[in-house]
Amino acid sequence: MSHLLEVDDVSKSFGGHAVVRHVSFVLDAGASLGLVGSNGAGKTTLFRCIAGELPIDSGSILLDGDALPSRPDARARRGIARTFQIVELFGGQTVLDHVLVALQAHQGHQGPWRDLVHGGRTSSGERERCMGILALVGLADRAETPATTLSLGDRRAVELARALVGEPRLLLADEPSSGLDGEESRILIHILNRVRKETGVAVILVDHDLGTVKAVADTVIAMDAGAVIAAGTYETVVSNPQVMSSWLGQSS
Amino acid sequence: MSEFFSFVLQNVPWGCTFALVAVGLVLTYRATGVFNFGFGAEAYAAGLIYAELYWHGVDRLWAAILVVVVIAPLFGALLDWGLFSRIPPGNSMAKIVTSLGVMVVLPSVVQIFVGATNVSAPPAPLFNEYLPVWHIGSGPLFVSGSELTTMLATAIVLIVLMLGLRSRRFGLPMRAAVESPKLLELMGVNAKRVSRGSWMLATMLAGLAGVLFAPTETPISANNYSVILVAAIAAAALGALRSLPLAVVGGVALGVVQGVVQGYVASDSVWYQALVPSLPFFILLVLLLVHPGMRRLENRNDPMSGVEPPAPPPALALRPPHINRVIHRFRWLVLGTVTLVVITFTPGPWIAALTIGASFSVIFLSITLITGLAGQLSLAQAAFAGVGAATTAQLAVNENVPVLIAAVAGAVVAGLGGWVASLPALRLRGLPVTLLTLCLALLADNLIFPTSWIGGGDNGLNVPRPHIFGIDFTAVDSKPFLLLVLAVLLAVSGVVHVLLRGTTGRALAAVHVSPVGAASAGVSVRRLTMFVFFLSAAIAGIGGSLFAMSYLQESPSDFNWFFGPTFLVIVVTVGATTVEGAIEAGFGYALIAQALTYLPSTVSTNTNATQGALTVLILSVGAFTYATHPEGIVEAVKRSLARTVFRAVPANPAERRTRGVS
């Protein structure tokens, strides 16, 4: 049986500077993986390669054993959703609008013909589905609120709802606890684990907060200077001498 | 060979004019972060004031010094204080709209208040116009006083600016103020003062360019300055709007290449008339497509941008629902009453004006779609209207196709033009898209419309009106034709309205604000961009056809390139994000012009040109408030009124909950 995601010998450089070097790993359906490493280790670049925002120089990325389309929107519709380190919301749209945009894009219900036929109205089924996802991330009571007026934690939840409404197979969460305080991080971890449990989505998580990684990820990969330096359970990786050396600058 | 060198040398001074303006554009962009579309208008105003001062007896050198050293910098300070300093650093769209506002409004202001439409060229501030003829090699080299002044000024300006921008004391704060004014203030530098100084310097350069260009063309006209500006954009693009030496090299090279081509091509050939003036636009188009620096123009990240309040969101989302509710409930009543009154009581000239207004409204709806919703500042909508009008005219006149079917074909052809424009636009964002559409409009104006098999030649084509159900639509003030145009307007409005409130509108708004976020949500940015370019161009094409039918004529100058920015500024001023904004702008444009014909004939400025300028001024001046009111100033006033009327009920559901209102 093939894995959900197969990243095989992927490399990416910018102007001759190798940012991701020969990275390989696999991820099974429903599993979760934490990517850790210092700033500049290549985590976000790897993320962007998987999401289709950057073309890879060499190697391959397969989903369910199949090659992925090149454009990020096509990958999103194939089942790869993502959230962003710096939240990317649609200013002026409500929380519900954010989820509707994604839902209609995934269902192929987005376009002028549909608008002309339905007079631009949203169906009750679509609305119910969106409200269900918003309930999952704890935003059902703020569906009509302009998303940019929410707190950072809630804005991250909006991104999460937008990512999940298309029923992705894989969720790429880029530093979801960045900028959140302890309580907000705890709520976010709770939401992520609940989402995993209820939807069965596989998660790749990049985060500097090791507590978040430990709480969400089944396995962890540590990166340094674009290459994988350790992989395994959280405990194995954080106690790896090479990882210690990379993070703390120790020789052993 | 000596002939070739003669052509080259003769055109270096002309190239220096491009170079000087290009240097001004680069300086403004580097020192203020604004691509100053108003540079040509500022230069025109400076040239005109210089000429007026000279013709009123002021010594030419003193007149030039007064304009360049006193008036221009003061105007620059005024621009910064009144307009640009109020725009948040990250709001590049507001910067473009505001500078387009300067481009459109300033010539109108000058025309109205200076009243100058026929001012003769003054002499150059230095040297005599007729200098001794120099001999280089075997041929004579004619260099006039104004050309010598321009060349000297270009060299001096280049050296001074290059040293200045590199200096730690002046150049570093200037560049830093563009990247992050907040960060500069944290370093203890007054960023506002730096920005003001930059604007004063940049406008001083516009003043210098204006004074130096004024002696070369008589009478002094805003159009000549605009043409120089556009050519200079191509020169500035060579250095990605950042390199002063490359801007100079580009400017001189452009002038020389144009001169050499002009020298070798027969002056009565189509190449001479079409290719030579279009050369800068071709070069700009190519640079936009292949120069990586031009594609990355918008990639500027202020590390302190989070400290600034977020840019105002698109207007539709924040509109109090009460206005929408009132409009929805009463629209048919209002439309019916207005139509009845119009048909029953309106006199002939006003019927014609209303018909033109309805045609403009259709064209303006294309701007609602592409700018108000998709966030692309297209300067080519007038050109697409022209394509629609020309196609309709050609099919109806030369192929005997029924004019309504020809209009549909015109819309399709214009739409295909829009689709073609979308292909390069897919790789660009922000300012480069605006420049791209400007290029397309200019190319249409120079290459497409003047040809007899498209634009109908110098005199254009007579466009018939439809004959359906035995109704006579042919009278100039035909009421049935007004009804027909209103019906088309209603249909197009309906389509745009449905798209605005439907899945397309939501997705386009998402792409506008965050293309990366939209793509991650599965929205096909590519498909939507191509669609919105196609549809908006097609709608503009329908409007253009109606306009041509209204006038019973289509002529190549009906939709010259300057109408592109003018239309955009007018729609943005009134309200680019709602359907009724475009309709109000269209009727406002036509009806204000009609009302101004009633000005007493004793008013000395009451000429057609002044009436046109006044109409544009009245409708465009609100563009200067775009930074604070991206929904349009008229729309903002509507909302303010609605807030007053519906004060008891908060608009925002969240606010409603907070205040305990169910």
Side-chain angles (χ1 to χ4, degrees), chain A residues 24-37:
Chain A
S24 300
F25 64 87
V26 293
L27 185 72
D28 290 325
S32 72
L33 171 74
L35 271 179
V36 295

Side-chain angles (χ1 to χ4, degrees), chain A residues 71-73 76-77 82 84 88-93 97 100-102 104-106 109-112 115-116 119-122 141 145-146 162, chain B residues 313-314 317 495 498-499 501-507 509-510 513-514 516-527 531 652-654 657:
Chain A
R71 291 202 315 276
D73 56 293
R77 293 193 295 275
R82 74 164 292 185
F84 296 85
E88 290 277 351
L89 295 183
F90 311 139
Q93 296 202 4
D97 284 338
L100 266 174
V101 166
Q104 287 164 340
H106 279 85
H109 289 174
Q110 203 163 57
D115 290 337
L116 290 173
R121 280 181 285 273
T122 305
D141 59 336
T145 306
R162 184 179 68 190
Chain B
V495 169
V498 163
L499 295 182
R501 61 180 278 190
T503 62
T504 312
R506 215 176 283 123
V513 179
S514 171
V516 182
S520 80
V523 176
S524 174
V525 178
R526 189 183 173 82
R527 192 168 56 88
F531 166 73
N652 182 329
R657 265 192 303 278

Side-chain angles (χ1 to χ4, degrees), chain B residues 421-429 433 525-527 529-530 533:
Chain B
S422 76
L423 299 177
L426 287 171
R427 305 172 65 192
L428 307 170
R429 185 166 150 78
V433 175
V525 178
R526 189 183 173 82
R527 192 168 56 88
T529 304
M530 289 196 287
F533 268 86

Side-chain angles (χ1 to χ4, degrees), chain B residues 183-201:
Chain B
L183 208 54
L184 191 64
E185 279 174 353
L186 287 178
M187 303 287 126
V189 179
N190 186 337
K192 279 194 165 50
R193 194 181 293 169
V194 173
S195 168
R196 191 138 310 157
S198 302
W199 269 105
M200 291 172 78
L201 184 61

